[in-house]
Amino acid sequence: MTDAGKKVKQARKLRGLTQRELADHSGVSVSTIRKLEQGERPTARMETLHALARTLRLETMDLVAKPKEEGARAETHELWAPVRAELTRPPASAIDAPATPAGVSGVLRAAELLYSNHQFTELAAVLPGLLRDADTLSGDGRGVQVRVLQMAAGALTHTRQFDIAELVVRRSLANAQDRLEASASINTLTWLMIRQGQLDQALALATQWADDLEPRITRATTSELAAWGLLLLRASGAAVRNNQPEVAADMKRFARSAATAIGREVKVAHETVRTFGPTTVRMLTVEDALVKDQPDTALRLAAQMPLFTVRPSSSVRSRHGLDVANAYARLGRFTESFGKLSELQAASPQWFPNQTPARDTLRTIVEGRRTLTPEMRHMASTLQLAL
């Protein structure tokens, strides 16, 4: 029996529940529970463990046996091999012609556009040279160097290259010139932890930094409010996934206060691509509703989204789209759910195959429909979903 299965079985017995009763209360199938307890499955999806933990009155991390997401595919490792080689090479002993901050900044702006548009294949081709040039910067160029490292860490996390992503984000944190710059690296690090299922660590780290950065709202700058608010959102995301709804609600309430104080969606200088404001807070509130198994609430919140001239980052918008698709699927509205997935795949074809929520939503559609369309089968192949 695996650790996860053993913990589920022990907790179920302590609660006085049969496998059927646990299934009825949690919404998880009896078959899944039986296979988990008998060791036929080493663990389960985070969504499944969350549902079981909620019924068993545990924190989700009490049941976690393995990280939430698998690592990168073989083709991703091959594509990004030059980037990984550049990031792990020894520092150059001598530099004949060091790059200039202005020159690196120009290339960085072009790379940030690729990142924002989820053009990871093109970004992987640009990054080795950009990282090499950024490594030669010193003095006034250190801030540019940190932004390059932060972007690289974000791209590696998006493509599930978690080991090298952590190395890079910690390097960016060590080189940060001030607290706001460091907060952007902490934001990426806590996101990386959440994607790996390290919810306790992510919550503790985001909370610590949010506490340290908490501004006096009446005197705070927009950048200070945004840094604080983004860390609070990370803490809330970790807490709600770890079955700590009260903690999550408090963090989200403070983040909403920061967004209200700013009054609009903003992009601040210390963040490479992230934005913060009322729309970002609302989009992540939709995600929280799904984690709490409230798809109807998620769709209602999604329909009331505030809009500003500055839009949330493409990653937040795309994840929000996955949340909407997931909510439709859970409510049995499979046509609308698949339509949303298709829209996201068309908009971000390089980002889409790396998304575990997309795979989970399609699995729900497959399980709920009697037959599949050719388009659904093609998407299942793209997402490597076993039918």
Side-chain angles (χ1 to χ4, degrees):
M1 184 185 301
T2 63
D3 286 343
K6 181 178 180 180
K7 291 172 183 176
V8 169
K9 187 173 184 178
Q10 290 177 343
R12 175 177 61 77
K13 288 182 176 180
L14 289 172
R15 293 279 293 135
L17 298 173
T18 65
Q19 289 181 339
R20 167 59 64 184
E21 289 169 335
L22 177 57
D24 291 342
H25 288 298
S26 67
V28 177
S29 70
V30 173
S31 174
T32 296
I33 294 171
R34 183 178 299 118
K35 288 178 180 178
L36 192 59
E37 291 191 359
Q38 291 178 352
E40 295 179 29
R41 296 181 58 170
T43 186
R45 289 181 290 157
M46 207 69 170
E47 179 182 316
T48 299
L49 295 176
H50 180 81
L52 292 171
R54 184 172 58 241
T55 301
L56 296 168
R57 298 182 183 178
L58 299 171
E59 293 185 0
T60 308
M61 290 306 296
D62 291 335
L63 301 180
V64 171
K66 289 188 176 180
K68 176 182 186 290
E69 297 199 31
E70 68 275 20
R73 301 176 181 185
E75 56 266 32
T76 300
H77 273 286
E78 182 178 355
L79 175 66
W80 287 77
V83 178
R84 297 171 69 94
E86 180 61 33
L87 287 166
T88 54
R89 68 166 176 79
S93 56
I95 302 170
D96 294 330
T100 65
V104 175
S105 293
V107 179
L108 175 59
R109 284 192 294 272
E112 286 175 344
L113 185 60
L114 295 175
Y115 182 104
S116 295
N117 291 332
H118 294 156
Q119 295 175 265
F120 296 121
T121 298
E122 296 80 356
L123 183 59
V126 171
L127 267 177
L130 179 57
L131 287 163
R132 191 176 309 115
D133 288 345
D135 194 41
T136 70
L137 299 178
S138 59
D140 294 340
R142 293 297 292 275
V144 179
Q145 182 187 80
V146 168
R147 289 172 64 86
V148 171
L149 290 171
Q150 288 172 341
M151 185 188 60
L156 290 162
T157 302
H158 269 301
T159 52
R160 300 193 212 146
Q161 300 177 81
F162 300 135
D163 54 345
I164 193 71
E166 182 171 353
L167 181 152
V168 178
V169 75
R170 290 191 182 279
R171 188 181 300 172
S172 73
L173 180 60
N175 293 342
Q177 303 294 288
D178 57 48
R179 293 197 309 160
L180 293 183
E181 202 171 73
S183 75
S185 296
I186 290 295
N187 202 305
T188 298
L189 180 56
T190 52
W191 168 42
L192 173 61
M193 289 174 172
I194 289 172
R195 287 202 67 173
Q196 294 182 95
Q198 298 171 12
L199 302 181
D200 290 327
Q201 298 95 316
L203 177 57
L205 185 61
T207 301
Q208 174 192 333
W209 273 78
D211 287 346
D212 290 345
L213 287 175
E214 182 175 356
R216 183 171 178 178
I217 289 184
T218 55
R219 297 181 181 178
T221 66
T222 296
S223 293
E224 290 170 339
L225 288 168
W228 183 52
L230 285 167
L231 288 167
L232 290 167
L233 289 178
R234 285 290 182 221
S236 176
V240 75
R241 286 166 175 77
N242 204 26
N243 271 340
Q244 296 175 268
E246 295 84 3
V247 174
D250 284 344
M251 296 297 179
K252 190 62 63 61
R253 176 166 52 86
F254 292 136
R256 193 174 295 111
S257 297
T260 300
I262 294 174
R264 66 194 188 284
E265 199 73 20
V266 295
K267 185 179 185 304
V268 291
H270 66 272
E271 283 285 358
T272 305
V273 294
R274 295 186 188 99
T275 64
F276 178 76
T279 307
T280 292
V281 172
R282 177 61 65 92
M283 285 184 171
L284 295 182
T285 300
V286 171
E287 183 180 3
D288 289 352
L290 278 177
V291 174
K292 292 186 286 189
D293 198 23
Q294 299 171 351
D296 50 347
T297 299
L299 290 178
R300 177 176 55 80
L301 291 171
Q304 302 170 353
M305 199 63 59
L307 299 175
F308 297 91
T309 302
V310 174
R311 296 192 299 166
S313 67
S314 55
S315 295
V316 170
R317 297 198 310 273
S318 297
R319 282 297 295 234
H320 173 68
L322 288 178
D323 291 336
V324 171
N326 194 346
Y328 279 136
R330 293 195 200 183
L331 293 172
R333 297 165 63 175
F334 300 130
T335 299
E336 291 158 293
S337 178
F338 185 74
K340 190 66 179 178
L341 288 179
S342 299
E343 175 187 319
L344 292 166
Q345 183 180 20
S348 298
Q350 295 179 31
W351 170 87
F352 188 77
N354 290 304
Q355 303 308 307
T356 297
R359 190 178 301 113
D360 292 343
T361 297
L362 184 59
R363 184 179 288 107
T364 300
I365 294 172
V366 170
E367 292 173 352
R369 286 178 56 100
R370 296 181 63 181
T371 60
L372 302 180
T373 66
E375 293 79 9
M376 290 175 182
R377 293 184 181 278
H378 184 266
M379 185 180 290
S381 175
T382 298
L383 292 171
Q384 298 185 353
L385 178 70
L387 298 179

